[in-house]
């Protein structure tokens, strides 16, 4: 009798779990989603974004730039009002205005590429910009699977100038701008994880596509390590505004990354990311989920996160010092937490190649 009651209890528990499981819809294209409204996105992801914009699903220049574009679009917002509409796609819809802003230098390349695809997609500018960012990021091994919400209305006006932090800004100015948009110092550092798959085009125009770390095609913590290495040279024509000495030939180090990594308010937040892939990806995903709906009425948005491809995992979650480097080259700015023990790649010091297509 006891066995019978135990079995009934187990069946009842299974029934409860089954009834609580979210319903799924099979789309005409064969994929499943939690909401039928999301079905229209699968062809946009595969036929327009992956096939056309991202060259078959690469973690290349277009994917990197799509992620940058989403940040530059959304950060034009203030929790106190008086700025832009946040994650509304204004940077694409009003691209002639916003790409002229100094902080958006070089971003017209991606808005020009996205524009005809955006028109073909039938999405609002905000939905397109932030869908492209999530899909492009998913093409980078090691990246988190970002969320995506559908239903942003068309933007009504461009964001104002001077809302995007610049590499020449002080830490105080950067943190103040992030706080005005509703982000903590920890969230600001988490969002800078995007620099692991980023490159500079206009800081030194003689060397477009100069990466910020030695692994620009993987979403790893390498940038957090390499920004802490002692700098010895500039990658291009001397010292340009917004850069500081870099440790590797062919690599650029942003002044803003350098000062944030060493400021008492943010140094430990930065150092904690070094060789901690799980912390970096989870922190970045959380901050991006907030960033991508800034200024939007989330009660009217539909969660279509299941249309985003699942990123490839890294072969190993651990990074290494570039060849010829070790902890002796690290400028440790946070003494409160131990610096991780990291192996070194064998061989001679590398030269970092530029990102093609920049």
């Amino acid at each position: 009798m006891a066995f019978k009651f135990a079995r009934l209890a187990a069946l009842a528990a299974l029934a409860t779990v089954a009834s609580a499981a979210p319903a799924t819809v099979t789309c005409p294209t064969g994929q499943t989603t939690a909401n039928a409204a999301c079905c229209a996105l699968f062809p946009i992801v595969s036929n327009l974004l992956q096939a056309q914009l991202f060259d078959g699903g690469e973690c290349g220049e277009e994917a990197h730039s799509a992620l940058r574009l989403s940040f530059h679009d959304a950060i034009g917002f203030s929790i106190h009002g008086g700025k832009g509409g946040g994650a509304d796609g204004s940077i694409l819809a009003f691209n002639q205005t916003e790409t002229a802003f100094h902080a958006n230098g070089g971003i017209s390349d991606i808005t020009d590429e996205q524009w005809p695809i955006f028109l073909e997609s039938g999405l609002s500018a905000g939905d397109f910009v932030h869908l492209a960012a999530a899909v492009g990021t998913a093409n980078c091994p090691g990246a988190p699977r970002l969320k995506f919400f559908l239903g942003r209305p068309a933007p009504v006006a461009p964001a104002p100038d001077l809302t995007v932090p610049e590499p020449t800004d002080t830490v105080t100015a950067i943190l103040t701008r992030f706080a005005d948009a509703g982000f903590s110092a920890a969230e600001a550092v988490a969002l800078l994880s995007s620099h692991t798959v980023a490159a500079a085009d206009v800081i030194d125009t003689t060397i477009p596509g100069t990466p910020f770390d030695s692994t620009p095609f993987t979403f790893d913590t390498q940038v957090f390590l390499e920004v802490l290495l002692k700098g010895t040279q500039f990658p291009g024509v001397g010292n340009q505004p917004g850069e500081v000495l870099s440790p590797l030939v062919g690599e650029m180090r942003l002044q803003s990354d350098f000062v944030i990594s060493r400021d008492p308010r943010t140094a430990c937040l930065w150092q904690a990311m070094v060789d901690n892939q799980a912390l970096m990806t989870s922190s970045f995903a959380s901050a991006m989920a907030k960033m991508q709906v800034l200024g939007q009425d989330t009660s009217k948005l539909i969660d279509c996160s299941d249309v985003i491809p699942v990123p490839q995992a890294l072969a190993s979650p651990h990074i290494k010092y570039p060849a010829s480097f070790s902890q002796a080259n690290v400028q440790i700015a946070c003494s409160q937490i131990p610096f991780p023990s990291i192996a070194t790649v064998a061989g001679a010091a590398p030269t970092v190649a530029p990102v093609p297509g920049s």
Side-chain angles (χ1 to χ4, degrees), residues 35 52 89 99-100 105 123 130 140 143 159 165 174 179 197 202 242 258 304 332 344:
N35 193 304
Q52 296 186 37
T99 58
L123 298 175
H130 296 286
C140 301
I174 292 169
V197 288
V202 297
F258 178 86
C304 290
I332 296 176
T344 298

Side-chain angles (χ1 to χ4, degrees), residues 260-320:
I260 287 172
S261 72
R262 289 157 173 80
D263 188 276
R265 293 165 288 184
T266 47
C268 290
L269 295 169
W270 186 281
Q271 184 176 306
M273 298 289 195
V274 176
D275 203 35
N276 193 334
Q277 183 75 10
L279 175 64
M280 183 190 73
T281 53
S282 62
S283 300
F284 180 71
S286 295
M288 280 297 293
K290 182 175 176 179
M291 175 70 69
Q292 291 188 298
V293 294
L294 273 187
Q296 305 304 302
D297 183 351
T298 55
S299 69
K300 297 181 179 179
L301 300 181
I302 300 168
D303 188 349
C304 290
S305 301
D306 49 17
V307 309
I308 305 302
V310 178
Q312 178 185 338
L314 295 176
S316 169
H318 297 293
I319 58 172
K320 293 184 177 181

Side-chain angles (χ1 to χ4, degrees), residues 59 75 149 185 352:
C59 178
I75 198 64
F149 291 85
V352 183

